[in-house]
Amino acid sequence: MNKADPLGFIHRFVPGPSGRTLLLLHGTGGTEDDLLPLGRALDAEAALLSPRGRVLENGMPRFFRRLAEGVFDEQDLIRRTHELADFIEAAAAHYQFDPKKLIALGYSNGANIAGGLLLLRPKALGGAALLRPMVPLMPETLPDLKGVPVLVSVGNQDPIVPAENARELIALLRQAGADVTVCFENAGHGLTEATLASARRWLAEKAP
Ligand code: MLT
């Protein structure tokens, strides 16, 4: 447990009038404040739950350790994924939201831990928008993600995520039964207006 916060993660919670909650997961070097404006811009009525990653890399918050860019410390990733899932359960009880209507909106490192949740703790989320994700790990057994809506948003010139890796992730999620929407765009690792427009559309059309 993180002593700074009784639920285990430093976080922000912003209530919203709809039954949906967005779980905002920042990229490397981000904080719990970073994605609040984006979350609100994509969904005016959802509640927002935004934790800060508990790992520090040269002072920059992340959601799990990596050994090099794109090379993950798998044991740490597994442990941190379970910590985050436990935080979600505690936050759902504390703030009274329905985890089935919890949609992760993760960017980069945040998208990768959201992928970890889908693969290792699939009941933690009702869906996920993964912006510039990679395969976080290969699970020992395939989770049951039947019908779970997932957006995978890929930049075809992303220097951090090879397109082949993103394709593997899409195949893995589909094999697990997820309802995957793919958005390949002419972009790098950064988010573009087109990324945000597709996320907004996907939320309106697919997310519970
Ligand atoms: C990661 O470490 O999760 C990915 O390399 C993305 C990043 O944070 O740069």
Side-chain angles (χ1 to χ4, degrees), residues 26-105:
H26 62 76
T28 300
T31 73
E32 65 279 17
D33 292 321
D34 280 21
L35 296 182
L36 292 173
L38 176 66
R40 188 46 82 230
L42 294 186
D43 187 331
E45 305 221 310
L48 307 174
L49 176 64
S50 187
R52 184 194 303 182
R54 290 178 53 175
V55 168
L56 284 180
E57 180 185 280
N58 301 322
M60 295 185 295
R62 286 176 51 85
F63 286 96
F64 56 87
R65 282 190 61 216
R66 65 179 164 184
L67 307 173
E69 194 170 274
V71 184
F72 301 151
D73 176 337
E74 196 165 309
Q75 285 316 308
D76 190 67
L77 168 54
I78 292 169
R79 174 177 153 219
R80 303 289 175 182
T81 298
H82 287 294
E83 275 181 7
L84 184 60
D86 293 344
F87 162 74
I88 292 169
E89 279 179 14
H94 186 77
Y95 295 114
Q96 298 280 298
F97 65 78
D98 179 357
K100 291 193 205 70
K101 292 189 162 193
L102 180 70
I103 310 299
L105 178 69

Side-chain angles (χ1 to χ4, degrees), residues 114-131:
L117 287 170
L118 289 170
L119 295 172
L120 298 177
R121 291 283 290 267
K123 289 192 168 38
L125 299 173
L130 309 177
L131 312 180

Side-chain angles (χ1 to χ4, degrees), residues 110-148:
N112 295 336
I113 192 94
L117 287 170
L118 289 170
L119 295 172
L120 298 177
R121 291 283 290 267
K123 289 192 168 38
L125 299 173
L130 309 177
L131 312 180
R132 309 293 185 264
M134 318 178 48
V135 176
L137 81 173
M138 291 304 285
E140 277 173 23
T141 53
L142 215 53
D144 179 4
L145 292 172
K146 193 158 185 294
V148 173

